[in-house]
Coordinates of all heavy atoms in Angstrom, one line a residue:
M29 N 25.2 56.4 30.8 CA 26.5 56.0 30.2 C 27.5 57.2 30.3 O 27.1 58.3 29.9 CB 26.3 55.6 28.8 CG 27.4 54.9 28.1 SD 27.0 54.3 26.4 CE 25.7 53.3 26.7
S30 N 28.6 57.0 30.8 CA 29.6 58.1 30.9 C 30.5 58.1 29.6 O 31.0 57.0 29.2 CB 30.5 58.0 32.1 OG 31.2 56.8 32.1
L31 N 30.7 59.3 29.1 CA 31.5 59.4 27.9 C 32.8 60.0 28.2 O 32.9 60.8 29.1 CB 30.8 60.3 26.9 CG 29.6 59.8 26.2 CD1 28.9 60.9 25.4 CD2 29.9 58.7 25.3
P32 N 33.9 59.6 27.5 CA 35.2 60.3 27.7 C 35.0 61.8 27.3 O 34.2 62.1 26.5 CB 36.1 59.6 26.7 CG 35.3 58.5 26.1 CD 33.9 58.6 26.5
R33 N 35.8 62.6 27.9 CA 35.7 64.0 27.7 C 35.8 64.4 26.2 O 35.0 65.3 25.8 CB 36.8 64.7 28.5 CG 36.5 66.1 28.8 CD 37.5 66.7 29.8 NE 38.8 66.2 29.5 CZ 39.9 66.6 30.1 NH1 39.8 67.6 30.9 NH2 41.1 66.1 29.8
W34 N 36.6 63.8 25.5 CA 36.8 64.1 24.0 C 35.6 63.7 23.2 O 35.4 64.2 22.1 CB 38.1 63.5 23.5 CG 38.2 62.1 23.7 CD1 38.8 61.4 24.7 CD2 37.7 61.0 22.8 NE1 38.7 60.1 24.6 CE2 38.0 59.8 23.4 CE3 37.1 61.0 21.6 CZ2 37.7 58.6 22.8 CZ3 36.7 59.8 21.0 CH2 37.1 58.6 21.6
C35 N 34.8 62.9 23.7 CA 33.6 62.4 23.0 C 32.3 63.2 23.2 O 31.4 63.1 22.4 CB 33.4 60.9 23.4 SG 32.5 59.9 22.2
T36 N 32.3 64.0 24.2 CA 31.1 64.7 24.5 C 30.7 65.8 23.6 O 29.5 66.2 23.5 CB 31.1 65.2 26.0 OG1 32.2 66.1 26.0 CG2 31.2 64.2 27.0
S37 N 31.6 66.2 22.7 CA 31.3 67.3 21.8 C 30.9 66.8 20.4 O 30.8 67.5 19.5 CB 32.5 68.3 21.7 OG 33.6 67.6 21.2
L38 N 30.8 65.5 20.2 CA 30.3 64.9 19.0 C 28.8 64.9 18.9 O 28.1 64.6 19.8 CB 30.8 63.4 18.8 CG 32.3 63.2 18.8 CD1 32.6 61.7 18.8 CD2 32.9 63.9 17.6
H39 N 28.3 65.4 17.7 CA 26.9 65.5 17.5 C 26.5 64.7 16.2 O 26.9 65.1 15.1 CB 26.5 67.0 17.3 CG 26.9 67.8 18.5 ND1 26.2 67.7 19.7 CD2 27.9 68.6 18.7 CE1 26.8 68.6 20.6 NE2 27.8 69.1 20.0
P40 N 25.7 63.7 16.3 CA 25.3 62.9 15.2 C 24.5 63.8 14.2 O 23.8 64.7 14.7 CB 24.6 61.7 15.7 CG 24.5 61.9 17.2 CD 25.2 63.1 17.6
A41 N 24.5 63.4 12.9 CA 23.8 64.2 11.9 C 22.3 63.8 11.9 O 21.5 64.5 11.3 CB 24.4 63.9 10.6
A42 N 21.9 62.8 12.6 CA 20.5 62.3 12.7 C 20.2 62.0 14.1 O 21.1 61.7 14.9 CB 20.3 61.1 11.8
S43 N 18.9 62.1 14.5 CA 18.5 61.7 15.8 C 18.8 60.3 16.1 O 18.6 59.4 15.3 CB 17.0 61.9 16.0 OG 16.6 63.2 15.7
S44 N 19.4 60.1 17.3 CA 19.9 58.7 17.6 C 20.0 58.5 19.1 O 19.9 59.4 19.9 CB 21.2 58.5 17.0 OG 22.2 59.4 17.4
I45 N 20.1 57.2 19.4 CA 20.3 56.8 20.8 C 21.7 56.1 20.9 O 22.0 55.3 20.0 CB 19.2 55.8 21.2 CG1 17.8 56.5 21.2 CG2 19.5 55.3 22.6 CD1 16.7 55.5 21.2
Q46 N 22.5 56.5 21.8 CA 23.8 55.9 21.9 C 23.7 54.5 22.6 O 23.1 54.4 23.6 CB 24.7 56.8 22.8 CG 26.1 56.2 22.9 CD 27.0 57.1 23.7 OE1 26.7 58.2 24.0 NE2 28.2 56.5 24.1
L47 N 24.2 53.5 21.9 CA 24.2 52.2 22.4 C 25.5 51.8 23.1 O 25.4 51.1 24.2 CB 24.0 51.2 21.2 CG 22.7 51.4 20.4 CD1 22.7 50.4 19.3 CD2 21.5 51.2 21.3
H48 N 26.6 52.1 22.6 CA 27.9 51.8 23.2 C 28.9 52.9 22.9 O 28.8 53.7 21.9 CB 28.5 50.5 22.5 CG 27.6 49.3 22.6 ND1 27.4 48.6 23.7 CD2 26.9 48.8 21.6 CE1 26.6 47.6 23.5 NE2 26.2 47.7 22.2
D49 N 29.8 53.1 23.8 CA 31.0 54.0 23.6 C 32.2 53.2 23.7 O 32.3 52.1 24.3 CB 31.0 55.2 24.5 CG 30.9 54.8 26.0 OD1 31.1 53.7 26.3 OD2 30.6 55.7 26.8
H50 N 33.3 53.7 23.1 CA 34.5 52.9 23.0 C 35.5 53.6 24.0 O 36.4 54.3 23.6 CB 35.1 53.0 21.6 CG 36.2 52.0 21.3 ND1 36.8 52.0 20.1 CD2 36.8 51.1 22.1 CE1 37.8 51.0 20.2 NE2 37.8 50.5 21.4
L51 N 35.4 53.2 25.3 CA 36.2 53.8 26.3 C 37.7 53.4 26.2 O 38.5 54.1 26.7 CB 35.6 53.5 27.7 CG 34.3 54.1 28.0 CD1 33.8 53.5 29.3 CD2 34.3 55.6 28.0
A52 N 37.9 52.3 25.6 CA 39.3 51.8 25.4 C 40.1 52.6 24.4 O 41.3 52.5 24.3 CB 39.3 50.3 25.1
L53 N 39.4 53.4 23.5 CA 40.1 54.2 22.5 C 40.7 55.4 23.2 O 40.1 56.2 23.8 CB 39.1 54.6 21.5 CG 39.6 55.4 20.3 CD1 40.4 54.5 19.4 CD2 38.4 56.0 19.5
P54 N 42.1 55.5 23.0 CA 42.7 56.6 23.7 C 42.4 57.9 23.0 O 42.1 57.9 21.8 CB 44.2 56.3 23.5 CG 44.3 55.1 22.7 CD 43.0 54.6 22.4
P55 N 42.4 59.0 23.7 CA 42.1 60.3 23.1 C 43.1 60.6 22.0 O 44.3 60.2 22.1 CB 42.3 61.3 24.2 CG 42.1 60.5 25.5 CD 42.6 59.1 25.1
L56 N 42.7 61.3 20.9 CA 43.5 61.6 19.8 C 44.1 60.4 19.1 O 45.2 60.4 18.6 CB 44.6 62.6 20.2 CG 44.1 63.9 20.8 CD1 45.3 64.7 21.3 CD2 43.2 64.7 19.9
S57 N 43.4 59.3 19.2 CA 43.9 58.0 18.6 C 44.0 58.1 17.1 O 43.0 58.5 16.4 CB 43.0 56.9 19.0 OG 43.4 55.7 18.4
S58 N 45.0 57.6 16.5 CA 45.1 57.6 15.0 C 44.2 56.5 14.5 O 44.0 56.4 13.3 CB 46.6 57.4 14.6 OG 47.0 56.1 15.0
Q59 N 43.8 55.5 15.3 CA 42.9 54.5 14.9 C 41.6 55.0 14.3 O 41.0 54.3 13.5 CB 42.6 53.5 16.0 CG 43.6 52.5 16.3 CD 43.1 51.6 17.4 OE1 42.8 52.0 18.5 NE2 43.1 50.3 17.1
I60 N 41.2 56.2 14.7 CA 39.9 56.7 14.2 C 40.0 56.9 12.7 O 39.1 56.6 11.9 CB 39.6 58.1 14.8 CG1 39.3 57.9 16.3 CG2 38.5 58.8 14.1 CD1 39.2 59.1 17.1
N61 N 41.2 57.3 12.2 CA 41.4 57.4 10.7 C 41.9 56.2 10.0 O 41.6 56.0 8.9 CB 42.4 58.6 10.5 CG 41.9 59.9 10.9 OD1 40.7 60.2 10.8 ND2 42.8 60.7 11.5
T62 N 42.7 55.4 10.7 CA 43.3 54.2 10.0 C 42.5 52.9 10.1 O 42.6 52.1 9.3 CB 44.7 53.9 10.6 OG1 44.6 53.7 12.0 CG2 45.6 55.1 10.4
D63 N 41.6 52.8 11.1 CA 40.9 51.6 11.4 C 39.5 51.9 12.0 O 39.1 51.4 13.0 CB 41.7 50.7 12.3 CG 41.2 49.3 12.4 OD1 40.5 48.9 11.4 OD2 41.5 48.6 13.3
P64 N 38.7 52.7 11.3 CA 37.4 53.2 11.9 C 36.4 52.1 12.1 O 35.5 52.3 13.0 CB 36.9 54.3 10.9 CG 37.5 53.9 9.6 CD 38.9 53.3 9.9
Y65 N 36.4 51.1 11.4 CA 35.4 50.0 11.5 C 35.7 48.9 12.4 O 34.9 48.1 12.8 CB 35.0 49.5 10.1 CG 34.4 50.6 9.2 CD1 35.2 51.1 8.2 CD2 33.2 51.1 9.4 CE1 34.7 52.1 7.4 CE2 32.7 52.1 8.6 CZ 33.4 52.6 7.6 OH 32.9 53.6 6.8
A66 N 37.0 48.8 12.8 CA 37.4 47.8 13.8 C 37.8 48.4 15.1 O 37.0 48.5 16.0 CB 38.5 46.9 13.2
G67 N 39.0 48.8 15.2 CA 39.5 49.3 16.5 C 39.3 50.8 16.7 O 39.5 51.3 17.9
G68 N 39.0 51.6 15.7 CA 38.9 53.0 15.8 C 37.6 53.7 15.9 O 37.4 54.9 15.8
W69 N 36.5 52.9 16.2 CA 35.2 53.5 16.3 C 35.1 54.3 17.6 O 35.8 54.0 18.6 CB 34.1 52.4 16.2 CG 34.2 51.3 17.2 CD1 34.9 50.2 17.2 CD2 33.5 51.3 18.5 NE1 34.7 49.4 18.3 CE2 33.8 50.1 19.1 CE3 32.6 52.1 19.1 CZ2 33.3 49.7 20.4 CZ3 32.1 51.7 20.3 CH2 32.4 50.6 21.0
I70 N 34.2 55.3 17.6 CA 34.1 56.1 18.8 C 32.8 55.7 19.6 O 32.9 55.6 20.8 CB 34.0 57.6 18.3 CG1 35.2 58.0 17.6 CG2 33.7 58.5 19.5 CD1 35.1 59.4 17.0
M71 N 31.7 55.6 18.9 CA 30.5 55.2 19.6 C 29.6 54.5 18.6 O 29.7 54.7 17.4 CB 29.8 56.4 20.2 CG 29.3 57.5 19.2 SD 28.4 58.8 20.0 CE 29.7 59.7 20.7
K72 N 28.7 53.7 19.1 CA 27.7 53.0 18.2 C 26.3 53.6 18.6 O 26.0 53.8 19.7 CB 27.7 51.5 18.5 CG 29.0 50.9 18.0 CD 29.0 49.4 18.2 CE 30.4 48.8 17.8 NZ 30.4 47.4 17.9
L73 N 25.6 54.0 17.5 CA 24.3 54.7 17.6 C 23.2 53.9 17.0 O 23.5 53.1 16.0 CB 24.4 56.0 17.0 CG 25.5 57.0 17.4 CD1 25.5 58.2 16.5 CD2 25.3 57.4 18.9
K74 N 22.0 54.1 17.4 CA 20.8 53.5 16.8 C 19.9 54.7 16.4 O 19.6 55.5 17.3 CB 20.1 52.6 17.7 CG 18.8 52.0 17.1 CD 18.1 51.1 18.1 CE 16.8 50.6 17.4 NZ 16.1 49.7 18.3
M75 N 19.6 54.8 15.2 CA 18.8 55.9 14.7 C 17.4 55.9 15.4 O 16.8 54.8 15.5 CB 18.6 55.9 13.2 CG 19.9 56.2 12.5 SD 19.6 56.5 10.8 CE 18.5 57.9 10.8
S76 N 16.9 57.0 15.9 CA 15.6 57.1 16.5 C 14.6 57.7 15.6 O 13.4 57.6 15.8 CB 15.7 57.8 17.8 OG 16.2 59.1 17.7
N77 N 15.0 58.4 14.5 CA 14.1 59.0 13.6 C 14.7 58.9 12.2 O 15.5 59.7 11.8 CB 13.9 60.5 13.9 CG 12.9 61.1 13.0 OD1 12.3 60.5 12.1 ND2 12.7 62.4 13.2
K78 N 14.4 57.9 11.4 CA 14.9 57.7 10.1 C 14.6 58.8 9.1 O 15.2 59.0 8.1 CB 14.5 56.3 9.6 CG 15.2 55.2 10.3 CD 14.9 53.8 9.7 CE 15.6 52.8 10.6 NZ 15.5 51.5 10.0
G79 N 13.6 59.6 9.5 CA 13.2 60.7 8.6 C 14.3 61.8 8.5 O 14.3 62.5 7.6
D80 N 15.2 61.8 9.5 CA 16.3 62.7 9.5 C 17.2 62.5 8.3 O 17.9 63.4 7.9 CB 17.1 62.6 10.8 CG 16.4 63.2 12.0 OD1 15.4 63.9 11.8 OD2 16.9 63.0 13.1
L81 N 17.3 61.3 7.8 CA 18.1 61.0 6.7 C 17.8 61.8 5.5 O 18.7 62.1 4.7 CB 18.0 59.5 6.3 CG 18.6 58.5 7.3 CD1 18.4 57.1 6.9 CD2 20.1 58.8 7.5
S82 N 16.6 62.2 5.3 CA 16.2 63.0 4.1 C 16.8 64.4 4.2 O 16.8 65.1 3.2 CB 14.7 63.1 4.0 OG 14.1 63.8 5.1
K83 N 17.2 64.8 5.4 CA 17.8 66.2 5.6 C 19.3 66.2 5.3 O 19.9 67.3 5.3 CB 17.5 66.7 7.0 CG 16.1 66.8 7.3 CD 15.9 67.1 8.8 CE 14.5 67.0 9.2 NZ 14.3 67.2 10.7
L84 N 19.9 65.0 5.1 CA 21.4 65.0 4.9 C 21.7 65.3 3.5 O 21.0 65.1 2.6 CB 21.9 63.6 5.3 CG 21.7 63.1 6.7 CD1 22.2 61.7 6.9 CD2 22.3 64.1 7.7
M85 N 22.9 65.9 3.3 CA 23.4 66.3 2.0 C 24.1 65.1 1.3 O 24.8 64.3 2.1 CB 24.4 67.4 2.1 CG 23.8 68.7 2.4 SD 25.0 70.0 2.4 CE 25.2 70.4 4.1
D86 N 24.0 65.0 0.0 CA 24.9 64.0 -0.7 C 26.2 64.7 -0.9 O 26.4 65.9 -0.6 CB 24.2 63.5 -1.9 CG 24.0 64.6 -3.0 OD1 24.5 65.7 -2.8 OD2 23.2 64.3 -3.9
A87 N 27.2 64.0 -1.5 CA 28.5 64.5 -1.7 C 28.5 65.7 -2.6 O 29.2 66.7 -2.3 CB 29.4 63.4 -2.4
A88 N 27.7 65.8 -3.6 CA 27.7 67.0 -4.5 C 27.2 68.2 -3.8 O 27.7 69.3 -3.9 CB 26.8 66.7 -5.7
A89 N 26.1 68.0 -3.0 CA 25.5 69.1 -2.2 C 26.5 69.6 -1.2 O 26.6 70.8 -0.9 CB 24.2 68.7 -1.6
Y90 N 27.2 68.7 -0.5 CA 28.2 69.1 0.5 C 29.4 69.9 -0.2 O 29.8 70.9 0.4 CB 28.8 67.9 1.2 CG 29.8 68.2 2.3 CD1 29.4 68.9 3.5 CD2 31.1 68.0 2.1 CE1 30.3 69.2 4.4 CE2 32.0 68.4 3.1 CZ 31.6 69.0 4.2 OH 32.5 69.3 5.2
K91 N 29.9 69.4 -1.3 CA 30.9 70.2 -2.0 C 30.5 71.6 -2.4 O 31.2 72.5 -2.2 CB 31.4 69.4 -3.2 CG 32.2 68.2 -2.9 CD 32.7 67.5 -4.2 CE 33.4 66.2 -3.8 NZ 33.8 65.5 -5.0
A92 N 29.2 71.7 -2.8 CA 28.7 73.0 -3.2 C 28.6 73.9 -1.9 O 28.9 75.1 -2.0 CB 27.3 72.9 -3.9
E93 N 28.2 73.3 -0.8 CA 28.0 74.1 0.4 C 29.4 74.6 0.9 O 29.5 75.8 1.3 CB 27.4 73.1 1.5 CG 27.2 73.8 2.9 CD 26.1 74.8 2.9 OE1 25.2 74.8 2.1 OE2 26.2 75.6 3.9
I94 N 30.4 73.8 0.9 CA 31.7 74.2 1.4 C 32.5 75.1 0.5 O 33.4 75.8 0.9 CB 32.6 73.1 1.9 CG1 32.9 72.1 0.8 CG2 31.9 72.3 3.0 CD1 33.9 71.0 1.1
S95 N 32.1 75.1 -0.8 CA 32.8 76.0 -1.8 C 32.3 77.4 -1.8 O 32.9 78.3 -2.4 CB 32.7 75.4 -3.2 OG 31.4 75.4 -3.7
E96 N 31.2 77.7 -1.1 CA 30.6 79.0 -1.1 C 31.4 79.9 -0.2 O 31.9 79.6 0.8 CB 29.1 79.0 -0.7 CG 28.3 78.2 -1.8 CD 26.9 78.1 -1.4 OE1 26.4 78.5 -0.3 OE2 26.1 77.5 -2.2

């Protein structure tokens, strides 16, 4: 699957397999922020290792991490 150039530097937080990419989304599209679940999605992923979820931070841990 070929990805748009702006999409190749995205790294998911969990192990995954890319199912679809949104080639119709223009680079630097404001839809990513204003309509992320309908027209602004970048790619669709399927998790390949659900155990990776245990390594993710919750909101409180993330706030503590970025405040240091």
Side-chain angles (χ1 to χ4, degrees):
M29 187 174 307
S30 64
L31 290 171
R33 203 170 36 170
W34 54 269
C35 198
T36 57
S37 62
L38 296 175
H39 302 284
S43 301
S44 58
I45 299 166
Q46 183 180 345
L47 300 176
H48 304 284
D49 54 13
H50 193 182
L51 295 175
L53 183 67
L56 304 176
S57 175
S58 64
Q59 280 185 300
I60 293 171
N61 295 323
T62 59
D63 193 20
Y65 298 105
W69 60 275
I70 299 171
M71 64 179 73
K72 294 182 181 182
L73 305 171
K74 178 180 180 180
M75 291 191 61
S76 58
N77 182 3
K78 292 186 180 184
D80 287 349
L81 290 177
S82 66
K83 300 175 190 173
L84 300 178
M85 290 185 251
D86 62 13
Y90 181 73
K91 285 180 184 178
E93 178 73 21
I94 62 173
S95 68
E96 294 178 358

